[in-house]
Amino acid sequence: MPKVYGAILSPYVRKVLLVLEAKGVAYENEQVFPGALPEGYTDVSPLGKIPALSDGDFNLSDSTVINEYLEERYPEPSLMPSSVEARAEARWLEEFADTALVEALLVPFFQRVVAPMRGLETNEEAIAKAEAGSIPKALDYVETVVNGAEFLADGKLSIADIAMVSPFINAEIGGYKLDASRWPKTAAYVAFVRSQEVVQQREAQEKALLGG
């Protein structure tokens, strides 16, 4: 049985858990938090980052690499689009989500959720700066690649959808409210993906963890 290491509120860990759950693969999860790594963790994740995965004697780290492995190891149902072009686009959107989108949308989450957990004060100035700069820049791009309440490719959930929606979940936990009047297609898309049963079940587990 695969074992995933990482805190479930991490957008990267969530990506891996959603892929496993969408494929119906049973797994174990060991909560591992950055800055408080268990002894020997770098044997599984050489860079000491989350998530990491163990599948038998095989260890792997980095959410994108892990999900590529899971797609090949457990090919049904496929979470990649059918055409070469659509698969390339899905990989690009996953990369965009993991970089620019995460970096922007995690500012409210980090400042209002993670920082207090670490005994730090919330920096509302940093949040205001992100909401005026990096967040709208990222969302302006998202608005050009989504088509409202539908999946990104082939009319089915794909890794691109999972990667794209994950940072929005963190942003909401951090108190960020997506402006549907400014980004209507993005708002409809995020709501649609989050309405899928597998995503709803994942969010329910996270809310239970938060006591909500």
Side-chain angles (χ1 to χ4, degrees), residues 39-62:
E39 184 178 353
Y41 182 67
T42 53
D43 293 340
V44 182
S45 177
L47 298 179
K49 295 183 178 182
I50 59 172
L53 177 136
S54 294
D55 195 1
D57 295 329
F58 181 66
N59 298 323
L60 199 59
S61 58
D62 184 87

Side-chain angles (χ1 to χ4, degrees), residues 11-38:
Y12 303 113
V13 174
R14 185 186 295 113
K15 275 174 52 185
V16 173
L17 299 185
L18 278 170
V19 166
L20 286 162
E21 290 160 1
K23 289 179 173 293
V25 177
Y27 65 88
E28 298 178 55
N29 172 232
E30 180 175 324
Q31 293 286 291
V32 172
F33 300 90
L37 302 178

Side-chain angles (χ1 to χ4, degrees), residues 108-176:
F109 174 78
F110 180 85
Q111 291 297 335
R112 292 178 177 145
V113 180
V114 178
M117 288 180 177
R118 295 180 176 178
L120 304 173
E121 292 186 5
T122 296
N123 187 340
E124 291 291 342
E125 183 178 340
I127 297 172
K129 182 178 180 181
E131 290 182 344
S134 60
I135 291 178
K137 182 179 179 180
L139 297 190
D140 284 347
Y141 177 72
V142 175
E143 189 74 6
T144 69
V145 298
V146 299
N147 293 304
E150 61 182 66
F151 296 119
L152 287 167
D154 292 357
K156 67 175 185 177
L157 184 72
S158 73
I159 186 57
D161 299 303
I162 289 171
M164 289 281 277
V165 80
S166 188
F168 286 96
I169 297 172
N170 286 84
E172 184 178 284
I173 296 171
Y176 177 76

Side-chain angles (χ1 to χ4, degrees), residues 57-127:
D57 295 329
F58 181 66
N59 298 323
L60 199 59
S61 58
D62 184 87
S63 63
T64 298
V65 177
I66 291 170
N67 282 344
E68 289 176 353
Y69 165 76
L70 293 174
E71 178 68 14
E72 295 184 3
R73 180 72 175 81
Y74 308 98
E76 298 296 335
S78 175
L79 293 176
M80 286 297 286
S82 56
S83 75
V84 172
E85 294 82 3
R87 289 198 297 273
E89 181 72 8
R91 293 185 183 101
W92 154 244
L93 291 175
E94 182 178 10
E95 174 65 18
F96 170 79
D98 284 354
T99 53
L101 193 59
V102 164
E103 290 165 8
L105 290 178
L106 252 65
V107 174
F109 174 78
F110 180 85
Q111 291 297 335
R112 292 178 177 145
V113 180
V114 178
M117 288 180 177
R118 295 180 176 178
L120 304 173
E121 292 186 5
T122 296
N123 187 340
E124 291 291 342
E125 183 178 340
I127 297 172

Side-chain angles (χ1 to χ4, degrees), residues 7-10 13-19 21 27 29 31 162 166 169 194 196-209:
I8 65 172
L9 290 183
S10 160
V13 174
R14 185 186 295 113
K15 275 174 52 185
V16 173
L17 299 185
L18 278 170
V19 166
E21 290 160 1
Y27 65 88
N29 172 232
Q31 293 286 291
I162 289 171
S166 188
I169 297 172
R194 292 180 70 180
Q196 305 306 304
E197 183 178 4
V198 66
V199 183
Q200 289 189 328
Q201 291 176 347
R202 170 99 319 265
E203 288 198 60
Q205 291 190 41
E206 294 177 7
K207 288 179 181 177
L209 177 68

